Amino acid sequence: MPLNELNHLEVQFLLLNDFRLAVSVEELEAYATMLVEFYAREVLAQRECQSKHGEDTQAMEGVESTQGSSA
């Protein structure tokens, strides 16, 4: 995209928004809350996945030790 077209689009965007580019405190706080909640869900999901993987590994080790003792 040519620079002069990009500049034109930028000016049009600013005009359409009455040059209001500030974010209210409430919007910023809401966004921050969403980010924290998303991060918390991701951490929990990772821990559950690791826990499940650990249980699977322990179960496999149990099967292997059972098979090894009966051989």
Side-chain angles (χ1 to χ4, degrees), residues 17-63:
N17 288 297
D18 295 324
F19 289 84
R20 287 179 283 155
L21 300 178
V23 177
S24 71
V25 172
E26 292 80 14
E27 288 176 302
L28 189 58
E29 288 174 343
Y31 183 68
T33 300
M34 289 187 328
L35 284 175
V36 168
E37 290 172 352
F38 173 79
Y39 177 75
R41 284 192 304 269
E42 288 296 307
V43 168
L44 287 174
Q46 286 179 355
R47 286 183 183 166
E48 288 176 5
C49 183
Q50 289 171 350
S51 175
K52 181 171 176 25
H53 180 68
E55 291 171 2
D56 291 345
T57 302
Q58 289 174 351
M60 288 300 292
E61 289 171 353
V63 168

Side-chain angles (χ1 to χ4, degrees), residues 1-21:
M1 176 179 294
L3 181 59
N4 61 348
E5 186 176 349
L6 185 59
N7 289 339
H8 176 74
L9 291 172
E10 183 178 7
V11 170
Q12 292 302 311
F13 174 78
L14 292 169
L15 288 169
L16 287 170
N17 288 297
D18 295 324
F19 289 84
R20 287 179 283 155
L21 300 178

